[in-house]
């Protein structure tokens, strides 16, 4: 059993290294020759984009932490010092702050991709669940990061969100005191949030690694949602997808740069440029935009415990999604009803986003409740039923076969081939 | 998509079915449209307006408002030379910022390395001198208000006589741009309030636009550098995108 790895590397130094620790062979296998379905569209860029985004956040965050002071009396001023006196501190901070928004944009599109093309279905359930864990960790990290500048929204957002735990019966109040490290959001809270905000990204990195391990066991899904059948269906990851991801990375960085350099405060709230003041509550306490749909779900229920349960339930439902969706067909291209419902779900989430940004009164309450109802109806009722009643379109025989006839209209519409089609095998 | 469109229609129709929310009686008037020299990706600060704004700020605003994140040395960014900044700072007295040989606090002239002078010793003193209201710090006021520079100018130009029948709080002033339309600050700018050295007539509108430009610089001292850098980086990335896409097309040309 003991002995050196038989390395294929010709370069003697690389061969010596790889024989003793074959991570070069592993990289070659997982990112070089890794057989990948050849029909990815640009939606498949977003995993790589999220990875790049995580690296950007950690890199800028490390340098910000060198200049930040986690104390209620100094945090706000230290952030301003970064903006004004640290060399390119404004760039670090604007990249980091807008990077959080970019991270959520990219991740939400990545999740939409998974929902649209059924990437959560067997055998990729665990892969998907690990993704939901990453989303949860991202939310916790983003929330605690927003508290660090110690502006008005930092302070009051932290107060509102931590207070949610007081809805838990019996032990709720004690849990909140424990979270705060005192009897209100104060210096101990800021200290621990800073510590955790530094820790969690590395936990995210760890779960991302597991996410990729799971991905490389099952292989990627693809826009047709059918399994890879022959080697003709795949191409090596490098150079085909390294270059395709590079195109996506360029466009991503372009959008990112436009936001950072020309509208760095567009996605932020002006109140967070006012130092935290426990004696003055802002007229409206709103979270960052990426939490608004969940905030709207929280406020659409008149009971505190009910709202909190639904809000966490909105994420929890994703954990069981692979078993809620009873249809054996993965890709929405071949699911005529699901293909429409997924857009209704997207619409409901956008409506919830707008609802979350407004005071819960009048029409906003009604809209919020309708959209919340649809969100849960979609996952808990429609998806289980749909597998039974929906008649899927015939699936193409293989990934290679539908690539040949490219209609004049182009685009990725379903191209049923009645003669050659057969229903997808159950896994 | 049909179902989604139907759902969209339903969401849009809902407002008609529900009584509208109560109108808030004293909402401020919507901000007017204003054009600024620093608008857009190529916008820069109008140096003359910034310097006039500094004069207004120093002669009027600084009597009650602090700007504690900023340093006098930041004024080189509005076109003052190092010597001019030194001279400007020397005209301002910092109270209790230093000690003499026996350890007693002394007053001294400000240096370029000093933060802008804070007019009151503490919050209580500030409130006592201002009818109980606290004049907010000005370092970040442009970023801390919805509407930014336009809001600042609209507020300074927004003083009117209160409408008949409106009950004003004690010592409050009617202002159409302010939330609730009652503001503790009395109208700070009147025509001819300052005498501009460049001969620009000091109308209320001129002074408020100048001081809004100055405060925008003070909240975003990096803005010109940021935009210059942004233009170059965006051009680079656009070129990079084109090249990368061309390479992608070439590499993928053998995939069928």
């Amino acid at each position: 059993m003991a002995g050196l790895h038989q390395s294929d590397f010709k370069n003697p130094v690389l061969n010596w290294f790889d024989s003793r620790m074959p991570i070069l062979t592993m990289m070659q296998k997982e990112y070089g020759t890794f057989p990948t379905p050849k029909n990815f569209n640009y939606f498949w860029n977003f995993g790589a984009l999220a990875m790049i985004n995580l690296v950007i956040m950690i890199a800028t965050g490390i340098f910000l932490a060198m200049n930040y002071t986690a104390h209620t009396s100094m945090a706000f001023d230290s952030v301003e010092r970064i903006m004004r006196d640290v060399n390119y501190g404004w760039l670090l901070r604007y990249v980091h702050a807008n990077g959080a928004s970019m991270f959520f944009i990219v991740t939400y599109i990545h999740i939409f991709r998974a929902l649209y093309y059924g990437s959560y279905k067997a055998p990729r359930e665990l892969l998907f669940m690990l993704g939901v864990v990453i989303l949860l960790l991202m939310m916790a990290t983003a929330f605690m990061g927003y508290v660090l500048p110690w502006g008005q929204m930092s302070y009051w957002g932290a107060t509102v969100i931590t207070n949610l735990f007081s809805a838990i019966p019996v032990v709720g109040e004690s849990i909140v005191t424990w979270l705060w490290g005192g009897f209100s959001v104060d210096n101990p809270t800021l200290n621990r949030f800073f510590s955790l905000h530094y820790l969690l990204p590395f936990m995210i990195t760890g779960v991302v690694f597991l996410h990729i391990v799971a991905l490389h066991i099952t292989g990627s899904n693809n826009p047709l949602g059918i399994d890879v059948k022959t080697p003709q269906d795949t191409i090596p990851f490098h150079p085909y997808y390294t270059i395709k991801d590079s195109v996506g990375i360029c466009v991503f960085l372009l959008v990112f740069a436009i936001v950072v350099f020309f509208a760095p405060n567009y996605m932020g709230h002006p109140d967070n440029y006012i130092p935290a003041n426990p004696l003055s509550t802002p007229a409206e306490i709103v979270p960052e935009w990426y939490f608004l749909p969940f905030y709207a779900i929280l406020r659409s229920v008149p009971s505190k415990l009910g709202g909190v349960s639904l809000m966490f339930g909105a994420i929890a439902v994703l954990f069981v999604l692979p078993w809620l969706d009873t249809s054996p067909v993965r890709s929405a291209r071949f699911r005529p009803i699901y293909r429409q419902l997924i857009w209704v779900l997207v619409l409901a989430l956008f409506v919830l986003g707008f609802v979350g940004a407004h005071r819960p009164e009048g029409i906003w309450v009604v809209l919020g409740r309708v959209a919340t109802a649809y969100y849960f109806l979609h996952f808990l009722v429609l998806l289980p039923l749909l597998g039974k009643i929906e008649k899927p379109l015939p699936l193409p025989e293989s990934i290679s076969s539908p690539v040949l006839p490219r209609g004049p209209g182009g685009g990725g519409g379903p191209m049923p081939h009645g003669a050659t089609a057969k229903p997808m095998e159950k896994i | 998509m049909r179902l989604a469109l139907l759902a969209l229609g339903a969401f849009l129709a809902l407002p008609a079915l529900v009584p509208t929310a109560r109108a808030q009686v004293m909402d401020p008037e919507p901000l007017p449209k204003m054009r600024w020299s620093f608008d857009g990706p190529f916008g820069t600060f109008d140096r003359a307006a910034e310097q006039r704004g500094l004069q207004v700020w120093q002669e009027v605003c600084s009597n009650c408002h602090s700007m504690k994140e900023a340093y006098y040395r930041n004024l080189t960014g509005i076109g003052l030379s190092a010597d001019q900044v030194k001279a400007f700072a020397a005209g301002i007295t910092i109270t209790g910022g230093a000690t003499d040989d026996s350890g007693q606090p002394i007053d001294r002239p400000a240096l370029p390395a000093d933060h802008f002078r804070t007019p009151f010793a503490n919050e209580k003193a500030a409130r006592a001198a201002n009818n109980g209201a606290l004049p907010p710090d000005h370092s970040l006021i442009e970023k801390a208000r919805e509407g930014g520079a336009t809001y600042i100018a609209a507020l300074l130009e927004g003083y009117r006589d209160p409408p008949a029948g409106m009950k004003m709080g004690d010592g409050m002033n009617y202002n159409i741009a302010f939330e609730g339309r009652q503001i503790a600050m009395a109208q700070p700018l009147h025509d001819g309030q300052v005498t501009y050295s460049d001969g620009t007539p000091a109308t209320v509108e001129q002074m408020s636009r100048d001081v809004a430009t100055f405060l925008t610089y003070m909240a975003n001292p990096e803005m010109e550098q940021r935009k210059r850098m942004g233009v170059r980086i965006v051009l680079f990335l656009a070129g990079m995108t084109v090249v990368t896409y061309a390479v992608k097309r070439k590499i993928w040309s053998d995939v069928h």
Side-chain angles (χ1 to χ4, degrees):
Chain A
M1 295 298 278
L4 293 180
H5 170 72
Q6 289 299 315
S7 176
D8 295 332
F9 281 86
K10 298 277 178 286
N11 180 309
V13 176
L14 292 183
N15 189 292
W16 180 90
F17 182 87
D18 196 52
S19 309
R20 282 153 183 80
M21 189 168 66
I23 54 171
L24 298 177
T25 300
M26 188 197 87
M27 287 304 287
Q28 180 63 22
K29 177 166 169 281
E30 302 299 338
Y31 284 101
T33 55
F34 190 68
T36 314
K38 65 182 185 185
N39 60 334
F40 284 178
N41 54 31
Y42 276 100
F43 271 118
W44 265 262
N45 274 353
F46 285 84
L49 297 183
M51 186 75 202
I52 296 283
N53 210 319
L54 177 63
V55 172
I56 292 174
M57 295 305 278
I58 291 179
T60 50
I62 286 171
F63 287 97
L64 287 171
M66 292 177 189
N67 294 289
Y68 170 77
T69 309
H71 190 280
T72 51
S73 67
M74 287 179 268
F76 189 90
D77 290 341
S78 77
V79 170
E80 268 315 300
R81 191 182 152 274
I82 290 172
M83 292 297 288
R84 290 159 190 269
D85 291 337
V86 173
N87 288 331
Y88 293 101
W90 58 268
L91 182 58
L92 286 173
R93 174 165 179 261
Y94 277 154
V95 167
H96 198 75
N98 288 292
S101 285
M102 292 301 292
F103 206 171
F104 276 95
I105 291 172
V106 164
T107 305
Y108 284 157
I109 296 175
H110 188 60
I111 296 171
F112 170 79
R113 195 282 320 272
L115 296 188
Y116 191 87
Y117 295 109
S119 303
Y120 50 87
K121 294 188 189 188
R124 299 186 183 84
E125 307 95 319
L126 187 60
L127 172 62
F128 182 76
M129 292 162 80
L130 286 167
V132 180
V133 172
I134 295 172
L135 176 65
L136 272 176
L137 287 171
M138 274 176 63
M139 289 175 148
T141 310
F143 161 66
M144 289 190 268
Y146 193 57
V147 175
L148 302 185
W150 211 242
Q152 273 289 67
M153 279 300 158
S154 300
Y155 178 86
W156 290 98
T159 302
V160 168
I161 301 299
T162 47
N163 254 316
L164 294 180
F165 292 91
S166 70
I168 301 168
V170 188
V171 292
E173 295 292 343
S174 310
I175 289 180
V176 173
T177 307
W178 175 72
L179 285 175
W180 285 340
F183 298 97
S184 69
V185 174
D186 207 336
N187 200 47
T189 326
L190 179 60
N191 275 245
R192 61 190 56 191
F193 277 20
F194 180 47
S195 169
L196 293 173
H197 183 72
Y198 208 114
L199 167 70
L200 290 188
F202 296 99
M203 292 179 63
I204 293 177
T205 309
V207 184
V208 165
F209 181 75
L210 297 180
H211 191 66
I212 294 170
V213 169
L215 172 71
H216 283 217
I217 296 295
T218 62
S220 296
N221 187 28
N222 65 80
L224 294 173
I226 59 176
D227 288 333
V228 167
K229 302 242 166 56
T230 62
Q232 279 77 50
D233 289 350
T234 66
I235 44 180
F237 189 83
H238 181 75
Y240 294 103
Y241 284 115
T242 41
I243 188 67
K244 193 162 181 172
D245 282 346
S246 300
V247 175
I249 289 167
C250 284
V251 175
F252 162 77
L253 290 177
L254 191 59
V255 174
F256 200 166
I258 289 171
V259 174
V260 165
F261 290 104
F262 302 117
N265 292 305
Y266 180 74
M267 289 187 276
H269 196 291
D271 277 16
N272 226 28
Y273 281 112
I274 304 170
N277 181 356
L279 299 177
S280 147
T281 318
E284 275 177 80
I285 302 173
V286 284
E288 290 276 80
W289 68 266
Y290 36 81
F291 290 138
L292 288 175
F294 302 100
Y295 195 52
I297 291 176
L298 168 77
R299 296 197 299 184
S300 65
V301 187
S303 115
K304 188 173 178 183
L305 180 59
V308 173
S309 309
L310 274 199
M311 188 179 73
F312 286 109
I315 302 284
V317 77
L318 295 176
F319 276 106
V320 286
L321 174 61
W323 296 275
L324 288 172
D325 188 342
T326 50
S327 170
V329 178
R330 293 199 191 101
S331 174
R333 282 194 192 174
F334 305 107
R335 301 186 59 189
I337 306 179
Y338 179 71
R339 201 177 165 191
Q340 310 215 11
L341 292 183
I342 181 88
W343 289 110
V344 181
L345 180 71
V346 170
L347 176 68
L349 282 165
F350 270 96
V351 168
L352 283 172
F354 283 106
V355 170
H358 288 83
R359 224 187 282 265
E361 53 190 20
I363 181 60
W364 297 111
V365 178
V366 183
L367 280 175
R369 288 186 181 162
V370 171
T372 302
Y374 182 77
Y375 183 90
F376 287 99
L377 190 77
H378 179 93
F379 287 112
L380 296 176
V381 180
L382 296 178
L383 284 190
L385 276 182
L386 218 50
K388 311 252 186 302
I389 57 173
E390 186 181 47
K391 199 173 168 308
L393 301 176
L395 293 171
E397 189 143 356
S398 75
I399 292 173
S400 309
S401 59
V403 174
L404 295 171
R406 258 230 169 108
M415 298 201 179
H417 302 288
T420 57
K422 62 172 185 183
M424 197 184 87
E425 307 134 33
K426 282 227 177 181
I427 299 140
Chain B
M1 283 311 273
R2 255 173 307 147
L3 253 172
L5 287 177
L6 213 68
L8 179 66
F11 275 123
L12 291 179
L14 263 173
L17 307 172
V18 182
T20 44
R22 66 188 162 81
Q24 276 184 319
V25 195
M26 274 297 132
D27 274 346
E29 271 185 18
L31 291 181
K33 286 264 176 297
M34 292 185 195
R35 298 176 71 88
W36 299 98
S37 58
F38 46 84
D39 283 341
F42 303 103
T44 53
F45 291 112
D46 175 344
R47 291 280 182 276
E50 283 179 305
Q51 292 178 16
R52 288 194 301 268
L54 168 67
Q55 186 185 347
V56 176
W57 194 84
Q58 188 57 36
E59 289 182 20
V60 185
C61 314
S62 73
N63 291 313
C64 300
H65 292 273
S66 59
M67 189 149 59
K68 55 195 179 66
E69 307 289 355
Y71 299 88
Y72 289 114
R73 61 176 158 81
N74 296 142
L75 294 176
T76 51
I78 68 170
L80 301 192
S81 70
D83 285 337
Q84 283 173 312
V85 172
K86 208 178 263 180
F88 181 86
I92 292 150
T93 304
I94 301 284
T95 320
T99 48
D100 64 15
D101 290 343
S102 63
Q104 294 304 306
I106 51 167
D107 295 352
R108 63 168 174 83
L111 296 169
D114 277 315
H115 278 289
F116 272 65
R117 186 186 71 105
T118 298
F120 299 105
N122 51 51
E123 182 180 334
K124 272 186 188 162
R127 284 189 188 277
N130 288 285
N131 193 24
L134 178 68
D137 183 76
H138 272 178
S139 329
L140 286 161
I141 203 79
E142 190 272 337
K143 289 204 254 186
R145 294 292 181 277
E146 199 78 59
T150 303
Y151 172 80
I152 296 169
L155 184 86
L156 292 172
E157 296 163 26
Y159 286 90
R160 304 277 187 279
D161 289 330
M166 177 163 173
K167 207 168 146 29
M168 299 296 292
D170 189 27
M172 300 296 271
N173 306 278
Y174 184 77
N175 188 312
I176 57 170
F178 195 68
E179 184 71 37
R181 300 206 179 190
Q182 294 200 39
I183 186 167
M185 174 171 71
Q187 180 169 352
L189 299 176
H190 300 272
D191 287 338
Q193 180 97 24
V194 301
T195 309
Y196 283 137
S197 56
D198 65 0
T200 309
T203 61
V204 168
E205 185 183 309
Q206 183 67 44
M207 288 183 290
S208 44
R209 309 275 161 127
D210 288 345
V211 86
T213 303
F214 171 69
L215 288 173
T216 304
Y217 165 74
M218 278 303 175
N220 308 274
E222 87 298 342
M223 194 190 78
E224 290 184 356
Q225 187 197 9
R226 164 160 58 80
K227 286 179 177 175
R228 269 199 311 273
M229 197 190 236
V231 169
R232 288 201 298 260
I233 287 183
V234 164
L235 285 177
F236 169 77
L237 285 172
M240 199 62 190
T241 306
V242 172
V243 171
T244 313
Y245 184 67
V247 175
K248 187 256 167 194
R249 288 284 298 249
K250 187 171 186 318
I251 289 176
W252 276 71
S253 59
D254 63 348
V255 179
H256 299 289

